Amino acid sequence: MKDVKLEDLPLREDLRGRTPYGAPQLDVPIRLNTNENPYPPPPELVADVTAAVAEVAKQLHRYPDRDAVALREDLAAYISKSTGFPVTYENLWAANGSNEILQQILQAFGGPGRSALGFEPSYSMHPIISAGTRTDWVPTPRRADFSLDLAEAAAIVQAKQPDVTFVTSPNNPTGQSVPVGELRVLVEATPGIVVVDEAYAEFSSQPSAVSLLDEFGHKLIVCRTMSKAFAFAGGRLGYLIAAPAVVDALQLVRLPYHLSLLTQAAARAALRHADATLASVAQLATERDRVVEALAGMGYSPVPSDANFVLFGPFGSGAWQSYLDRGVLVRDVGIAGHLRVTVGTPDENDAFLAASKEIIA
Ligand code: PMP
């Protein structure tokens, strides 16, 4: 085939020169770079997923339930139980990872001539999905210690009037949560949609923003995923909790049958094991605190974290490679002098800490 370069293609002008999302996927012994749960699914869960998939495979000649009602009912039961805030399947919408949910939100509420705002540094896909949907991105800084300056944030949101405001809580890559009282101030400050991205909520000591939905259903969306605490990153299942009208809005942009029969069945089976899977959360939080303490003891400055990862520094250049040379994959999130490490198993954390000790020496 003739060698065709990206420059040769009639690509949209606004996409030229952009870089795709690209956390390196390297085959190294200790992989602590994409905030997954380090514990593989237990045998009972694997058996249940396998049986569920075998059962629905008999129906693979038919399209799946386009509205994924049974799965949404299961997710609603999980959210009602874990947050104490009762929701039904009409409040839930699911897709292939919360990235697809975020994309559908911007397709419906962003787009050409509209804007989305985020408090940076934060999740790198928020601006990338904004670019993909041609939504203007309004980057808004956090404090030097990466915390959110609420008064300033509310004033900026009020002044800029973005159509969509993203608040990531706990924030990736810095780890801090935004308390519900502060979220309320932000939601009140904007007439636009506020998306609270709660990908790491299960690790957080702060309650979920879902309690604000009674009051702010016309502009609040809470986004979640099974990729982190649920140990289901490979299964690709994200979801949101919102007013039923938000779900109606997203149905205008979703692709028909976007969630395969296999995904729906596997996710439902995994949800049946929620209690066992989520038992690892407390252990990971304890490990996180151990990692933070050990890093501080070595002379690093870890940022306090409410999630399953820790941002830490200071580093000169070349530190990411120094970890890799020691078989440890961490994440360079583009913040000068800092790296982010995902909390792993105790053995993985020990290996990471041993490498950290050598690197700071
Ligand atoms: N939101 C945040 C804050 C994340 O960190 C991630 C994953 N890194 C996602 C959303 C997307 O996760 P997924 O598509 O796997 O649900």
Side-chain angles (χ1 to χ4, degrees):
M1 196 189 289
K2 195 172 148 237
D3 185 23
V4 180
K5 304 245 165 17
L6 190 54
E7 319 66 278
D8 302 328
L9 300 177
L11 185 66
R12 266 167 40 191
E13 285 307 323
D14 58 299
L15 292 180
R16 284 187 194 279
R18 288 189 177 269
T19 37
Y21 176 90
Q25 291 194 299
L26 303 177
D27 192 11
V28 295
I30 313 284
R31 284 186 287 168
L32 301 175
N33 74 327
T34 43
N35 298 345
E36 295 134 321
N37 188 323
Y39 294 104
E44 314 80 71
L45 189 155
V46 174
D48 206 2
V49 166
T50 309
V53 167
E55 184 56 33
V56 297
K58 297 174 193 155
Q59 293 296 321
L60 274 173
H61 61 307
R62 298 289 183 196
Y63 281 114
D65 175 5
R66 209 171 36 218
D67 297 334
V69 172
L71 171 59
R72 287 160 63 200
E73 278 171 347
D74 292 352
L75 289 166
Y78 165 66
I79 286 295
S80 303
K81 190 172 157 210
S82 60
T83 67
F85 182 80
V87 291
T88 73
Y89 85 92
E90 292 175 306
N91 301 107
L92 270 288
W93 182 242
N96 296 282
S98 52
N99 282 326
E100 188 178 18
I101 294 279
L102 297 171
Q103 178 167 278
Q104 292 178 350
I105 290 171
L106 284 173
Q107 284 176 319
F109 299 107
R114 293 188 166 216
S115 64
L117 180 150
F119 303 100
E120 296 193 330
S122 190
Y123 181 41
S124 62
M125 282 306 296
H126 295 155
I128 292 176
I129 299 173
S130 296
T133 56
R134 297 192 62 186
T135 309
D136 287 335
W137 180 246
V138 185
T140 305
R142 289 169 172 264
R143 291 194 185 101
D145 69 358
F146 307 117
S147 62
L148 195 66
D149 182 334
L150 179 68
E152 173 140 331
I156 290 174
V157 160
Q158 210 154 27
K160 304 255 178 180
Q161 305 247 321
D163 297 282
V164 178
T165 299
F166 289 103
V167 187
T168 314
S169 181
N171 187 45
N172 176 13
T174 63
Q176 303 105 323
S177 294
V178 183
V180 171
E182 296 196 8
L183 288 171
R184 163 189 291 278
V185 173
L186 275 179
V187 175
E188 282 173 341
T190 174
I193 295 279
V194 175
V195 178
V196 183
D197 187 336
E198 291 191 351
Y200 302 94
E202 283 89 352
F203 298 104
S204 173
S205 54
Q206 293 290 328
S208 167
V210 291
S211 63
L212 295 174
L213 277 172
D214 257 349
E215 210 176 329
F216 298 110
H218 56 297
K219 54 177 172 175
L220 179 64
I221 300 176
V222 179
C223 208
R224 292 266 187 124
T225 181
M226 288 178 67
S227 295
K228 311 298 179 181
F230 264 103
F232 198 69
R236 308 304 299 129
L237 205 287
Y239 57 99
L240 62 69
I241 309 108
V246 169
V247 176
D248 294 343
L250 297 200
Q251 297 213 356
L252 300 172
V253 297
R254 65 95 188 271
L255 296 175
Y257 316 109
H258 66 298
L259 270 181
S260 84
L261 198 62
L262 306 175
T263 302
Q264 294 186 38
R268 294 192 68 202
L271 276 168
R272 287 197 283 277
H273 297 265
D275 288 347
T277 312
L278 295 175
S280 65
V281 167
Q283 193 183 345
L284 288 167
T286 306
E287 276 295 297
R288 170 197 64 209
D289 295 344
R290 177 173 82 88
V291 166
V292 165
E293 206 172 307
L295 286 172
M298 291 175 203
Y300 290 102
S301 302
V303 179
S305 172
D306 214 15
N308 67 331
F309 52 81
V310 180
L311 186 73
F312 68 112
F315 291 109
S317 60
W320 180 82
Q321 186 63 47
S322 302
Y323 277 100
L324 194 58
D325 292 344
R326 290 164 175 80
V328 181
L329 182 59
V330 294
R331 188 73 180 277
D332 179 352
V333 287
I335 304 176
H338 290 75
L339 292 170
R340 189 196 68 193
V341 64
T342 303
V343 177
T345 62
D347 285 351
E348 290 171 332
N349 299 331
D350 284 345
F352 158 74
L353 289 171
S356 302
K357 200 163 190 176
E358 285 178 20
I359 288 167
I360 205 169

